[in-house]
Amino acid sequence: MAYTKKDLQDTVKEMLGDRLLVIVSNREPYLHSIREGKICCSRPTGGAVTALDPVMRACGGVWVAYGSGKADKQAVDNNNHVKVPPDDPSYTLRRVWLSKEEEAGYYYGFSNKGLWPLCHIAYTRPEFNENEWRDYYNVNKKFVDAVLEEIGQRKAFVWVQDYHLMLVPQMLKKKRPDLIVSHFWHIPWPNSEVFRICPKQKKLVEGLLSNDLLGFHIRYHCENFFDTVEKTLEARIDRERYSIIHNGHETLVRAFPISVDFNAIEKKSNTPNMKKLVSPLIEEYNLHGIDYVMFGLDRIDYTKGIIERIRALDRFLEKYPKYKGKIAFIQIGDLSRIHLQVYKDLNDEINAVVEEVNWKHSTETWAPIIMVRRHLLFDEILAFYKLADICVVSSLHDGMNIVAKEYISARTDGDGVLLLSQFTGAARELSDAIYFNPFDIEEFAEKIRQAIEMPAKERKQRMTALREVVSEKNIYKWAGNIISEFGKIHSCSAAKRT
Ligand code: F6P
């Protein structure tokens, strides 16, 4: 029997008892904006928030995050609180406000010009500068103040997310050593040779070593972290127990591959309403006569291999022109981090390559690539998953990749092929996907052919196996495993005190 939401609720009750659960992340799970003169609430893209929202819905608690929506200030009460989700309020979102300058230095600067390319090794040069570091430090402190205010005198488990808040655990523990603090790292941890170019590596690693529990998606990232610690500072590393002792404090390091709410996605994509959403897409994108729909959904980011995907399709059509007019590749791309030049350039490059490839292969009535630029509601995304014969995830490097698991969860017909980059965390679990190296355009084009020509029986066998994996290793199980580890730490520290 798969682990359920109810199982997670029981684990939380047993392990956390009366402790408050506090999540801290840069990105907020819901943002408010003004549309047609009215305040409306939407969900940002990004794997971390997508995965964590069902957990908070199940467990309740407080989520502290940067209020980045244009109407966020109008939506909160005097304590900067808003209950979310709007249709079924189950937890409290506490918003932290940042000035434009802080956002520029901490988010665009140190986090996304520095740490993001550093950890992804997608050959975009990381940049670090002292002013942005100062902003990063000060904003981390701002988050800490908000967390402490929320906790007050209570006992709590604080669950910090991602690379934006690496200093938070240490700052929290200094003020409240009784808190149990855990960090989940949503992106890859690179090898130590790469991480050592970061001028602030020692401070950042020390920050993480104040955690009681530190989670990565896969073991390989844990191993890379051990190597980094070994080369950066004095610490006792126990690779058998997956533990590091630094300055007398123990941090347990574990792999917890993140997932999705399989049951909820399955249920939603099986509703009669879904059929009503799929048919208009065929009209809107003129898919009559198309035999194969290939689909990609990403933030426009240079780690996602979007250019490589288009180049591979180009090569595929060069090699197999009989598929012209028979295949459509729909790419959904939400703009991201657009104030950084490298993202602007990528966006321009994608437009240029799409234009070039469409022009090269198009007929009077058909062009291979359809770019969808608008932000989609989750129901619309599910409709695309249902429509897609092939879902392509071609990241050059990715911590996990949630899209791969969402696609599998939505394929209640047990059909569809997942083309998956071997450089995603998901590739470690989803062994019935078709793997490829996105840097190898020739191989990638051949894998598109393999996906298209795969016999129906094999497609179904593979999808059935993939669905078993995601159903079993769902998001509740992921959170339950982490919270059970929290619980063990708590009972150890209680035992030490008695
Ligand atoms: O998959 C999780 C993640 O990649 C985070 O690491 C990142 O913060 C987020 O998705 C998307 O980026 P942003 O928050 O900058 O929009």
Side-chain angles (χ1 to χ4, degrees), residues 7 74 142 145 184 222 258 271 274 315 359 391 409 448:
D7 294 325
Q74 285 162 262
K142 221 173 188 178
D145 292 343
F184 192 79
C222 301
I258 207 166
T271 56
M274 202 39 70
R315 184 70 190 120
W359 182 79
C391 177
S409 313
I448 295 176

Side-chain angles (χ1 to χ4, degrees), residues 26-27 46-48 107 112 116 162-164 186-187 299 337:
N26 169 69
R27 184 63 65 204
Y107 173 76
N112 286 316
W116 179 267
D162 239 336
Y163 58 99
H164 316 83
H186 290 266
I187 63 175
R299 277 183 310 104
R337 305 175 190 167

Side-chain angles (χ1 to χ4, degrees), residues 26-28 44-49 107 112 116 120 162-164 185-187 217 258 299 301 304 335-337 343 398-402:
N26 169 69
R27 184 63 65 204
E28 57 183 342
T45 40
V49 289
Y107 173 76
N112 286 316
W116 179 267
H120 280 88
D162 239 336
Y163 58 99
H164 316 83
W185 191 259
H186 290 266
I187 63 175
H217 289 300
I258 207 166
R299 277 183 310 104
D301 193 293
K304 301 292 182 186
L335 285 179
S336 175
R337 305 175 190 167
Y343 285 80
D398 215 331
M400 172 54 61
N401 195 284
I402 289 292

